[in-house]
Amino acid sequence: MAEKEFGLEVNRRESRPRSKRLRELGGGSTGGGSTVVQVANGTQKGDGHTHDNKAVLDMLDADDQSYVYLRQQGAGGGQTPQLEKAKAGYADEAGVAKDLTADSPVRKQFLSRVHEDSAEALIRLLAGLEVGAYEPGTEGGAIDANGRAEVLSAVVRQLLRSARFRDGIGGEGWQLWIDEEELSNLTIDRLTVRRVMTVFELLVDKIRSVGGQLVVSAANGKIKTVEEADDRYVISFETENTFMPHDLMRCQTFTGGELKSYWVEVARATIDGNSIEVAKSEFEGTVPAEGDECVLMGNTTNAKRQNLILISATEDGEPRIDVMDGVRAKHFSGCLRARLGNLDGISDSWFGADHQPHGNGLYSDNAYLRGTFVLETGENVKTAFEIMEGKIASAVSALRQDIVQDEGYLSNPCFDEGLSKWVTENEAVFWLAGNRWIWANRNVLTKKGAGASVTMDDGRVVVRIRNKYIRQPNSNLRSIPTMTTNSRGNKEAKPVYLSFLYRCAEAGTLGVRFEDVDKTGFEAFDSLDVEEPLTVTNGYQRYNCSGLWNGTGDFKLSFTGDIYVYMLVLSTDKIESLTNEYRTLFEQSEKLVKIAAENFDEGGHVLATSGIMVKGTGTGIYAQGPDGKLALIGVGVEEGDGEGGTRTVIKLTADHMQLEGLVTANQNFKIKEDGSIEARNGTFDGYLRTRMKTVAESDAAAVSVNGTTAYRPGNDLNLCVTGTWIVLPSNADYIGSRVILWNGATPPYTRSTLIGSSSRVTHENGGSIMGLSARVEEADLTEWNDPTWIEWLNGLMELIGVPQDQYDPQTGTTTRTCGWCIIGFSAVYFAYGT
């Protein structure tokens, strides 16, 4: 029997009644003995059957609603048909349709027009006739009694899956299906491809647990071989070499209880580029070996290979992601650019000792964040900055207040404290309903009328006056000028000048005056009283007026229209009141905060300016005059000298620096309050000059020595001592000091003038002056005695203070004092004695 191949194809079609199919035909005829069906004018002819097996189907009878019968020729050739139950209809007996065998009389009647080979395969599959696995040369496939099936081929239209299936990383089973977008999907646990896999788009989702650190850098590799060559190792990797010269290659593993670690610089790559060479001296206590996994961690010359990312997932409880840049040596000092995760261990001088980074968070050189950020207090960052800016604005206002008040007599002239110190009246209309107030938004519904109030206008704090006034009682004035008395005994009023900025929104009449002025005891005068119409202005303009004032009465400013008034200056100094304009500036950006106060003359020229400037690299306080000269005190951070790091600096710039109090530098250099300097060492270029003073000019103190007036030097140790006795101090503070004494007597000399013009130097405690013996004969050398006084007529003498201990036998103590030793002299008439 020839081998047959069977194929099974399952089609999904929408079911349609035969009558519908017939109507679609619209008439026609079929060949092969098929019944002709014609449909015309709604009339159907024939029984509607169009297939070749009509003769077989005519044998079927369904009179009984429970079974299917076969109608056959009557027994013995009789005319009466004989009905026999079809065996396929024995539903009450059949477990499976096993009577659909090749010799079953029902088989051909049961089948419609289906290809016999395909029908054979389907029948064998459904009936389970062949038990066991599919064998080559057998016909078709089989389903055994345990549900195992084998078929030659199958077409599945929609879905094929395991008995249990759940999608996702934590699911189970397998499934092959077509989704809503007509795309095929396959979910399995493991896929092995032995030959070739062609993928047009590949998306890999991988879940991995990493113990230790994961390094993301530009090069890595697992060592395949290591060869020694003189003073170097030649290393090749299992994959293509990605290391370059001057790369810093690191390996660190912990296996079998042993830690292996090395961090070495790559000397060069081999000619073929597949290996690298590393000097043996780079390895300390360890050597490279097969299987070492190495990664790139920096480069000594190439900045583009000095960056990496460290992902730590260790058991120390400090998970983090570090972004490193600038790794040019075998350490990470100064290379951390950002860290996300646990911040413990980071130390940064930008933050105070009590506010170092800690806990979980973000540490970075820069951060660009969007959205809403909530602080520990519950405030968001926007609210916090609004509060901060309010504080800065208050500081600026206070600065402006100080400047204006220093030049005037009015209190709160800038209205930064509202209407404090001022008196006014406000009118309001209350809306009533049935003699009751109308409440809206928790307030009484009113319409403001005439009055004065403090408001913001064009970025300024101003007072708005609408057909009313503001008045400052005399008791609230900041100060009152002092009046002078004339020759007639009467006081005289002083001229005062008023200056302010204003914007007129509605024209009206301005009034400035002092009310309830007491002129008792004053020379007759007309007190300041101004009325002047003002028109509408586009912006702020300056107003000036003047008059006499005796320091009594209340100051009052009124306006019949609508006006905004800013920065009142009432002063007896016309220059300050009329020509000076004070302006405060506040500038803020992401790189700069600047607060400045500027003083202009009436021509708009800057008379002086000062301020505070804060940048990311430093902070400075400065002042500048009209000539452009600048005084600056600044602190900042700048690049180091060739070290690659930074250094903190303090800069002082001025024409004249005046330091008050003690000035020290690491306790090695001091400028004392008396002007003296102490230093460990000194190197001077050029010459060093000391000032010579006469005894009268110096700070030497007069003392009595044997009834003669002498002088004891203080800090001035270079003296002109013509005809003067000098007493050298014994205080230990003078040890190491040099004393220069110049006797400036001039010739011609006589015996009398020699004695009369000579100077004498002696010791404070009566001790000897070392360095010159009073007895110089050889026989007297065993009894050497230094002189207690030296006298000379003309010339120069230099002495130095030396340590000298004084023992007190009564107390048994030793006191350190200063002795004196002569180190040089050039003199006329030189005498000495004891």
Side-chain angles (χ1 to χ4, degrees):
M1 180 178 177
E3 181 178 350
K4 296 184 180 181
E5 294 184 358
F6 299 91
L8 177 63
E9 181 173 352
V10 179
N11 292 320
R12 175 179 295 177
R13 293 180 180 177
E14 180 181 358
S15 61
R16 294 183 297 170
R18 289 181 61 190
S19 60
K20 184 177 180 180
R21 296 199 303 271
L22 292 176
R23 287 194 299 269
E24 292 175 353
L25 293 175
S29 61
T30 63
S34 296
T35 302
V36 177
V37 178
Q38 293 181 352
V39 179
N41 299 324
T43 302
Q44 179 176 323
K45 298 180 180 181
D47 61 0
H49 192 74
T50 62
H51 298 92
D52 294 337
N53 59 348
K54 183 177 183 303
V56 177
L57 295 177
D58 287 341
M59 298 174 62
L60 297 176
D61 193 352
D63 292 341
D64 191 316
Q65 298 302 316
S66 301
Y67 297 94
V68 175
Y69 292 86
L70 293 178
R71 183 166 58 261
Q72 300 182 1
Q73 186 70 27
Q79 297 299 322
T80 302
Q82 184 178 348
L83 297 179
E84 182 180 350
K85 286 183 179 180
K87 290 185 179 181
Y90 284 52
D92 52 346
E93 295 180 5
V96 294
K98 58 185 178 180
D99 285 325
L100 294 176
T101 57
D103 56 351
S104 172
V106 184
R107 175 181 175 183
K108 291 185 179 181
Q109 290 84 352
F110 182 78
L111 295 176
S112 184
R113 293 195 60 186
V114 180
H115 191 279
E116 184 177 353
D117 292 342
S118 298
E120 184 77 18
L122 176 61
I123 292 172
R124 290 178 179 274
L125 181 63
L126 295 177
L129 296 180
E130 298 200 14
V131 179
Y134 170 76
E135 296 293 340
T138 60
E139 298 181 3
I143 300 178
D144 65 15
N146 295 321
R148 292 187 294 269
E150 284 199 32
V151 295
L152 186 62
S153 62
V155 176
V156 180
R157 294 290 183 182
Q158 190 70 23
L159 179 144
L160 191 64
R161 72 175 187 182
S162 61
R164 299 180 61 182
F165 173 75
R166 183 160 54 91
D167 204 3
I169 190 65
E172 59 179 329
W174 59 270
Q175 179 169 293
L176 174 63
W177 76 101
I178 305 294
D179 60 18
E180 294 82 357
E181 300 178 0
E182 296 298 323
L183 298 177
S184 56
N185 296 264
L186 174 63
T187 298
I188 56 177
D189 292 329
R190 182 178 294 174
L191 177 65
T192 300
V193 180
R194 290 193 177 91
R195 296 294 295 273
V196 177
M197 182 172 68
T198 301
V199 180
F200 294 102
E201 181 178 358
L202 181 63
L203 176 64
V204 179
D205 291 330
K206 188 173 187 179
I207 296 180
R208 171 180 291 177
S209 175
V210 179
Q213 286 187 335
L214 182 64
V215 180
V216 182
S217 61
N220 66 84
K222 188 174 183 179
I223 295 180
K224 181 179 180 181
T225 61
V226 178
E227 299 178 2
E228 294 190 42
D230 298 330
D231 59 348
R232 63 189 184 277
Y233 290 110
V234 180
I235 301 172
S236 63
F237 301 93
E238 294 181 354
T239 58
E240 181 182 358
N241 172 45
T242 54
F243 289 96
M244 299 176 61
H246 305 294
D247 277 353
L248 296 176
M249 183 179 72
R250 187 170 186 179
C251 170
Q252 182 166 318
T253 59
F254 186 80
T255 57
E258 295 183 0
L259 174 65
K260 182 175 185 179
S261 175
Y262 53 83
W263 200 350
V264 298
E265 182 176 357
V266 176
R268 66 185 65 85
T270 58
I271 297 177
D272 57 10
N274 296 327
S275 305
I276 59 172
E277 296 181 0
V278 182
K280 291 183 178 180
S281 59
E282 289 285 319
F283 297 90
E284 299 179 359
T286 186
V287 294
E290 178 184 349
D292 288 354
E293 293 191 3
C294 303
V295 295
L296 173 66
M297 282 195 175
N299 186 289
T300 58
T301 60
N302 190 346
K304 294 182 178 180
R305 298 178 67 84
Q306 294 174 354
N307 53 81
L308 61 132
I309 299 175
L310 293 178
I311 303 175
S312 301
T314 58
E315 296 179 355
D316 58 3
E318 299 180 0
R320 56 195 176 271
I321 300 175
D322 289 348
V323 178
M324 302 285 185
D325 195 11
V327 183
R328 59 178 62 91
K330 300 172 185 177
H331 59 77
F332 293 138
S333 299
C335 300
L336 181 61
R337 301 277 66 83
R339 173 175 289 183
L340 176 64
N342 191 283
L343 307 182
D344 294 344
I346 295 178
S347 179
D348 195 326
S349 59
W350 277 98
F351 308 101
D354 298 333
H355 296 86
Q356 288 295 307
H358 63 281
N360 292 313
L362 171 64
Y363 169 85
S364 176
D365 289 347
N366 300 287
Y368 296 87
L369 307 174
R370 299 176 62 184
T372 300
F373 307 95
V374 180
L375 306 177
E376 283 184 348
T377 59
E379 298 174 316
N380 60 47
V381 174
K382 179 181 179 181
T383 302
F385 272 105
E386 287 175 351
I387 294 173
M388 182 190 301
E389 289 175 357
K391 291 180 179 178
I392 295 176
S394 297
V396 174
S397 298
L399 179 63
R400 183 178 65 243
Q401 183 97 338
D402 292 342
I403 294 176
V404 175
Q405 286 193 159
D406 285 345
E407 307 300 336
Y409 299 110
L410 297 174
S411 298
N412 189 25
C414 297
F415 308 100
D416 291 312
E417 301 175 16
L419 287 174
S420 174
K421 306 296 184 181
W422 295 91
V423 177
T424 188
E425 294 179 355
N426 288 294
E427 298 177 357
V429 177
F430 290 81
W431 298 95
L432 303 177
N435 293 327
R436 293 187 178 183
W437 291 340
I438 299 176
W439 290 79
N441 297 326
R442 299 183 180 182
N443 291 292
V444 178
L445 184 60
T446 60
K447 178 182 178 182
K448 289 185 177 180
S453 61
V454 175
T455 185
M456 291 289 297
D457 184 62
D458 194 22
R460 298 176 171 93
V461 178
V462 299
V463 60
R464 182 184 183 185
I465 304 174
R466 291 181 295 175
N467 197 26
K468 278 296 178 180
Y469 64 89
I470 55 173
R471 179 171 57 86
Q472 186 161 120
N474 190 270
S475 58
N476 288 345
L477 294 173
R478 189 182 70 86
S479 62
I480 295 175
T482 301
M483 306 300 165
T484 58
T485 303
N486 59 21
S487 59
R488 293 184 294 276
N490 294 327
K491 295 180 180 179
E492 293 185 341
K494 284 194 171 183
V496 291
Y497 307 91
L498 177 67
S499 177
F500 60 84
L501 295 171
Y502 75 95
R503 181 176 72 84
C504 186
E506 181 182 331
T509 300
L510 175 70
V512 178
R513 62 181 54 85
F514 286 95
E515 292 185 333
D516 302 325
V517 174
D518 184 5
K519 299 183 179 181
T520 305
F522 283 84
E523 196 75 27
F525 71 96
D526 293 327
S527 182
L528 173 65
D529 192 348
V530 175
E531 283 195 4
E532 183 177 347
L534 298 178
T535 58
V536 175
T537 61
N538 292 327
Y540 278 85
Q541 297 184 6
R542 178 169 295 281
Y543 179 83
N544 302 308
C545 66
S546 61
L548 295 176
W549 181 42
N550 68 349
T552 66
D554 301 338
F555 175 80
K556 182 178 180 180
L557 187 149
S558 62
F559 192 69
T560 59
D562 189 359
I563 192 173
Y564 295 83
V565 177
Y566 169 64
M567 204 162 65
L568 289 165
V569 178
L570 177 66
S571 174
T572 54
D573 190 336
K574 182 176 181 180
I575 296 177
E576 293 294 344
S577 286
L578 300 183
T579 66
N580 279 11
E581 178 181 349
Y582 296 92
R583 183 172 67 182
T584 55
L585 304 174
F586 174 69
E587 179 182 353
Q588 179 178 353
S589 67
E590 68 275 11
K591 296 183 179 180
L592 171 70
V593 175
K594 179 181 179 182
I595 302 176
E598 296 179 340
N599 186 202
F600 297 87
D601 62 16
E602 60 184 355
H605 303 99
V606 177
L607 297 178
T609 180
S610 63
I612 302 172
M613 184 179 296
V614 180
K615 291 185 177 181
T617 55
T619 299
I621 302 175
Y622 68 91
Q624 190 172 24
D627 55 359
K629 290 186 176 181
L630 179 69
L632 170 68
I633 301 175
V635 296
V637 179
E638 62 181 23
E639 295 293 331
D641 293 335
E643 299 296 331
T646 59
R647 62 182 180 184
T648 56
V649 295
I650 298 177
K651 294 183 178 180
L652 302 177
T653 303
D655 290 339
H656 175 71
M657 298 182 188
Q658 183 175 345
L659 304 177
E660 303 292 344
L662 179 65
V663 179
T664 65
N666 300 324
Q667 300 301 317
N668 294 323
F669 173 81
K670 295 181 181 179
I671 301 177
K672 294 185 176 181
E673 296 179 0
D674 60 1
S676 60
I677 297 176
E678 292 182 4
R680 298 294 185 190
N681 298 289
T683 301
F684 303 91
D685 292 331
Y687 62 90
L688 184 64
R689 182 176 63 185
T690 60
R691 183 181 178 186
M692 299 290 293
K693 294 183 179 180
T694 66
V695 174
E697 294 172 339
S698 72
D699 58 356
V703 294
S704 177
V705 178
N706 298 326
T708 301
T709 299
Y711 293 90
R712 181 183 184 276
N715 291 321
D716 297 324
L717 302 180
N718 303 314
L719 302 174
C720 296
V721 293
T722 303
T724 305
W725 281 29
I726 299 297
V727 178
L728 299 176
S730 61
N731 192 309
D733 291 341
Y734 285 87
I735 294 175
S737 301
R738 291 174 179 264
V739 174
I740 299 176
L741 303 176
W742 164 251
N743 186 0
T746 57
Y749 303 114
T750 63
R751 172 65 65 177
S752 60
T753 58
L754 284 174
I755 298 176
S757 299
S758 63
S759 297
R760 175 176 289 193
V761 60
T762 185
H763 198 275
E764 185 176 42
N765 61 5
S768 300
I769 298 176
M770 295 172 282
L772 184 65
S773 176
R775 306 177 67 182
V776 295
E777 295 180 6
E778 182 177 353
D780 299 325
L781 293 179
T782 57
E783 299 179 0
W784 186 280
N785 290 314
D786 290 315
T788 59
W789 58 266
I790 299 174
E791 186 175 352
W792 77 106
L793 175 66
N794 185 25
L796 186 72
M797 181 184 303
E798 183 176 8
L799 305 99
I800 187 170
V802 295
Q804 194 172 63
D805 293 336
Q806 298 290 335
Y807 178 73
D808 187 347
Q810 295 183 353
T811 61
T813 60
T814 300
T815 303
R816 173 63 56 90
T817 63
C818 178
W820 292 93
C821 180
I822 186 170
I823 59 176
F825 63 89
S826 175
V828 176
Y829 177 67
F830 196 85
Y832 42 85
T834 59

